[in-house]
Amino acid sequence: MSGTTELPGLRVPSEVFDRICSGPVDAESMTLLRRGQYGIRLLRLCTLIESAPEDVRDLEQAWSVLEAAEHAAPSVVEDLLMHPAVGVWLARTLHDVCATPAVSDSTRTEVQVLLAVAAAAAVRCGLSCTISVPVVDGAVTLPTVGQWRLHEQDGSADRVEVRITAGDVTFGRRTSFVTVKRHRTAARGRSLEVVIDDVDPHREFPAPAPPDPLDEAAFDGWCKQLDEAWDLLTRWHGDYAGELAAGLTTLIPLAARTPVFAASSTNAFGGIALSPKDSAAELAEAMVHEIQHSKLNALMDLLSLHREGGTAWVYAPWRSDPRPLCGLLHGIYAFTSVAEFWYVQRDLVPPAQSRRGHFTFAHRCRQVRAAIDSVRDSPELTDLGKRFVAASSARLDALDLTSVPADLTDAVTTLLADHRATWRIHHVRPNPVDVAAAADAWADGRPCPGAVRCEVVPVAQPAVSSRAALVELRAFDPESFHRTARDETAHVLFARGDHEAAAAAYEREVLAEPSHDDAWVGLGLAAGSAALLDQPQTVRAVHLRVLARTGVAPAPLELAAWLGRA
C-alpha cells in the first residue's frame, strides 16, 4: 500500500492551529487532521503485519487484497481504514501483540480481523477473491459493509471461507445478513451522513462487545432525534454543524442503562459512543462536545501542547477523579464549546427548561475558567499549549454571564466550591510530619509553624458530594425541593439556605465522626470558612492528630482559622 513504509511529515500551519484553538473549524482544517490520523493508521497497520506471530495464517493475502483495493479505489480504502471500529481494533490488537512475547490465542484471533478488513475492501471495491475470515460471537463482520450471522450449527466455527466475486459475497453455509445502518440528514443546504454502528465487535472503546442490533423502532427513534438535532444545529449553531459534517462519521448507540453520557477515543477519529438522549438539544450538545475531543486527539498526535513525561495529577472541575494535564486540556477545549453552545441554546429551549439551560451555561463557563486559571502558568505547557489555553480564555471572555439569574449564579458558586473541597479532602494527602508539627503547636498553644505540604494521591472511589443534588433541585425546581426536602438534616438545611443551622448540624457531625468527609466540607460551606474549603484535608488530619494526642477534639472552625493564618 502506498505510503506505508515512510510517511511524509505533516505540518500544521500556524493559521490552522489558531483556527482549531478558536473553536469550530472548516472542512479544510478537518481534512488536515484526518490526514494525520490516516497516516497513523497506515503506520500501525504496517507494524502489526511486521509484528504478528508467524503462525497467524493468510496475512500476506490480506495485505495483497488491500493493495489491490487501494489501487482500484484509494478513497474507499481510506474510508474503510478510518472507520472508528477499525481504528479501535488496530490500536488494541497492536498493543496486545507488542505487550508480551507470548501472544495469546485470543490475540491471534484479533490479528485475523485484518482478513475481515481486507474482505470488506474487496466487497466495496468490486474485487474478486476467496478469503478465510474470523467468526466472532457467531458472526462474520466486515467493517462498513455488514454482518453475516451463521446459523446455529455453524456458529461455533473459528473461521469461514468467503467467496467474493466482483463485490458479491457468497458463503458455503447458511447465514443471515444485517447491513450496516446508515442515516443521512439534511437541513438548510447542509447534510450529515453517519454510520449507526450497533453490531461491530470493536465499536465500543473500552473492550470488545457482542452485537446489540437496534430494532426498527429504536433505529427510527435515533434517526428522528438526529434529524431534529441537525435541524437545531444548522439553524442556530452553523459553525458547529459545518465541522460535524466534515468530521463526524459514526454514532455508536450505547444501552440506555449505561452511565456514559457520550464518549470518544483517540483511536476512533470521527466516532462518538453515546447513550439515548432525552431531547434533540442533548444530542446536539453531545455531538458538539465529543467532536472537540476527536479534533484535539488528532491535533495532539501532530504537535505537543505539554511536555512529555509529566506525571502530576491535577484537579478538573468537571471530574470526581484526578486527571493528567492532557485530560485537563481536553476538558477545557470541549467544555468551552459546550459553554458556547448553551450561550445560544438557553434562550431557545421550552420555558420549563430555561433555568436548566442558564445553569448549564454558567456552570460550564465557571468550570472552564477555574481550570484555565489553574493551568495557564504551568511550566508543563509548551508555547503552543499556552496559545491553546489563551484561545479558550478569549472565547470565554466573549460570553456574557451577567444575564444568568442571580440565584442560579449563587448555586453555581456553591457547587463549584463544594466540588473542589470534596475532591481535595478525598484525593489530597497532607504530609504526616507537617501534620504532627501542626498538631503539636496547636496543643501547646503556639502559632501554626507553617503551611502543611500536600500531594495528590488518587483514590479509586469517586469523590461525590451528597449535597449537590439538593442544591441543583432547589435551583431548577424550587417547588419540588420544598415539597420533598422536609427533614432537618444538615444537607437539607444547607440547601434550604439556613446556613447557621446547617453549620451547627455539620459541626455536630464532625465532632461525632471526625473522619466524615462530607461533614467537613459542609461545615466549610455553611460557615463560609475559606481556610476549611481550601484545605479540608489538612484541617481534618490535624484535628484527628490533636484528638489522638490530647483526647480533646479541637473546635473545627477555630482550628481551620488557625491553620489558615500560616
Side-chain angles (χ1 to χ4, degrees):
M1 296 177 68
S2 61
T4 54
T5 55
E6 181 178 353
L7 289 170
L10 187 63
R11 300 178 61 85
V12 180
S14 180
E15 63 272 15
V16 174
F17 175 77
D18 289 334
R19 194 179 305 143
I20 293 169
C21 293
S22 298
V25 301
D26 57 14
E28 181 182 358
S29 300
M30 194 67 81
T31 297
L32 184 144
L33 296 175
R34 182 183 171 90
R35 276 185 60 211
Q37 290 298 290
Y38 186 48
I40 291 170
R41 296 276 170 95
L42 293 176
L43 285 172
R44 286 176 175 169
L45 192 58
C46 275
T47 305
L48 179 62
I49 294 289
E50 294 168 357
S51 307
E54 293 182 359
D55 58 347
V56 177
R57 296 175 292 153
D58 302 333
L59 293 190
E60 295 83 358
Q61 182 194 12
W63 187 255
S64 297
V65 171
L66 283 169
E67 281 188 316
E70 187 190 44
H71 180 75
S75 62
V76 171
V77 173
E78 178 178 342
D79 181 74
L80 169 62
L81 294 182
M82 285 301 295
H83 183 54
V86 173
V88 171
W89 159 76
L90 182 54
R92 185 184 292 145
T93 304
L94 183 59
H95 172 271
D96 291 346
V97 166
C98 298
T100 160
V103 177
S104 67
D105 290 341
S106 61
T107 298
R108 284 184 169 83
T109 300
E110 287 298 292
V111 171
Q112 290 171 349
V113 171
L114 179 60
L115 296 159
V117 174
V123 172
R124 293 186 59 187
C125 295
L127 304 182
S128 298
C129 64
T130 298
I131 189 166
S132 179
V133 295
V135 177
V136 179
D137 294 319
V140 170
T141 303
L142 303 189
T144 74
V145 175
Q147 186 174 82
W148 286 260
R149 180 152 294 279
L150 276 62
H151 284 209
E152 194 168 320
Q153 64 269 29
D154 298 320
S156 60
D158 294 329
R159 289 172 60 154
V160 297
E161 191 173 84
V162 179
R163 178 170 296 172
I164 302 168
T165 306
D168 291 333
V169 179
T170 304
F171 284 83
R173 58 192 74 201
R174 292 187 301 160
T175 62
S176 53
F177 177 62
V178 177
T179 188
V180 164
K181 296 180 176 69
R182 299 179 186 272
H183 182 64
R184 183 180 186 276
T185 184
R188 293 170 191 85
R190 290 183 169 180
S191 62
L192 173 71
E193 185 169 353
V194 294
V195 169
I196 299 181
D197 191 351
D198 55 355
V199 296
D200 195 297
H202 301 94
R203 66 192 184 279
E204 295 189 13
F205 308 141
D212 188 17
L214 300 169
D215 60 29
E216 185 175 353
F219 177 68
D220 288 346
W222 276 98
C223 294
K224 178 178 181 296
Q225 195 172 78
L226 186 57
D227 290 342
E228 294 168 353
W230 190 244
D231 180 75
L232 179 156
L233 286 164
T234 56
R235 183 184 297 271
W236 302 110
H237 310 276
D239 289 345
Y240 283 113
E243 74 171 9
L244 284 164
L248 179 62
T249 63
T250 306
L251 295 180
I252 301 103
L254 301 176
R257 62 185 177 273
T258 181
V260 176
F261 181 80
S264 50
S265 168
T266 187
N267 301 313
F269 182 80
I272 298 175
L274 67 173
S275 56
K277 300 292 167 265
D278 291 334
S279 67
E282 272 196 6
L283 178 57
E285 176 195 348
M287 293 193 297
V288 166
H289 179 130
E290 295 302 333
I291 201 67
Q292 309 312 310
H293 289 304
S294 274
K295 287 160 53 187
L296 187 52
N297 281 326
L299 181 68
M300 294 174 79
D301 278 337
L302 299 176
L303 48 80
S304 296
L305 300 181
H306 60 91
R307 308 196 191 287
E308 298 299 327
T311 58
W313 296 102
V314 297
Y315 169 64
W318 45 82
R319 293 282 298 227
S320 63
D321 57 336
R323 302 293 289 159
L325 179 56
C326 175
L328 187 68
L329 295 178
H330 263 279
I332 287 172
Y333 190 59
F335 283 119
T336 298
S337 290
V338 171
E340 291 173 338
F341 175 86
W342 281 107
Y343 181 63
V344 175
Q345 196 61 34
R346 61 193 170 136
D347 293 325
L348 304 172
V349 296
Q353 301 172 22
S354 176
R355 286 180 63 81
R356 184 174 291 274
H358 278 287
F359 171 85
T360 302
F361 163 64
H363 197 201
R364 294 312 189 197
C365 279
R366 294 279 299 279
Q367 286 176 321
V368 175
R369 176 57 65 195
I372 288 172
D373 289 345
S374 73
V375 78
R376 67 166 77 244
D377 296 322
S378 170
E380 297 300 315
L381 290 178
T382 63
D383 288 342
L384 289 177
K386 291 174 182 176
R387 274 170 67 181
F388 174 85
V389 172
S392 287
S393 182
R395 291 166 66 186
L396 282 186
D397 288 343
L399 306 179
D400 179 18
L401 276 165
T402 61
S403 57
V404 177
D407 64 319
L408 292 180
T409 299
D410 292 342
V412 167
T413 299
T414 296
L415 289 169
L416 289 173
D418 191 356
H419 186 276
R420 180 178 182 273
T422 299
W423 185 93
R424 291 189 65 78
I425 202 169
H426 203 70
H427 294 295
V428 179
R429 294 291 171 266
N431 182 282
V433 174
D434 292 355
V435 168
D440 289 345
W442 170 271
D444 296 339
R446 294 183 281 114
C448 183
V452 174
R453 293 167 294 174
C454 296
E455 66 172 333
V456 177
V457 181
V459 176
Q461 183 180 358
V464 179
S465 164
S466 301
R467 281 169 300 278
L470 287 171
V471 173
E472 288 190 17
L473 178 61
R474 189 184 184 209
F476 297 150
D477 190 350
E479 290 184 8
S480 293
F481 171 80
H482 291 298
R483 187 170 58 251
T484 58
R486 294 181 175 275
D487 56 43
E488 298 295 312
T489 64
H491 289 339
V492 170
L493 290 168
F494 178 77
R496 195 182 292 159
D498 190 349
H499 289 183
E500 184 176 351
Y506 280 127
E507 186 168 32
R508 288 193 295 271
E509 291 183 15
V510 164
L511 294 174
E513 179 48 72
S515 297
H516 189 188
D517 293 358
D518 223 18
W520 279 107
V521 175
L523 178 58
L525 289 166
S529 170
L532 183 50
L533 290 175
D534 187 55
Q535 294 294 326
Q537 74 286 349
T538 299
V539 180
R540 181 189 60 183
V542 175
H543 183 279
L544 289 168
R545 182 69 183 232
V546 171
L547 179 60
R549 175 183 162 177
T550 67
V552 178
L557 292 174
E558 290 181 17
L559 178 61
W562 179 80
L563 286 165
R565 290 192 289 270

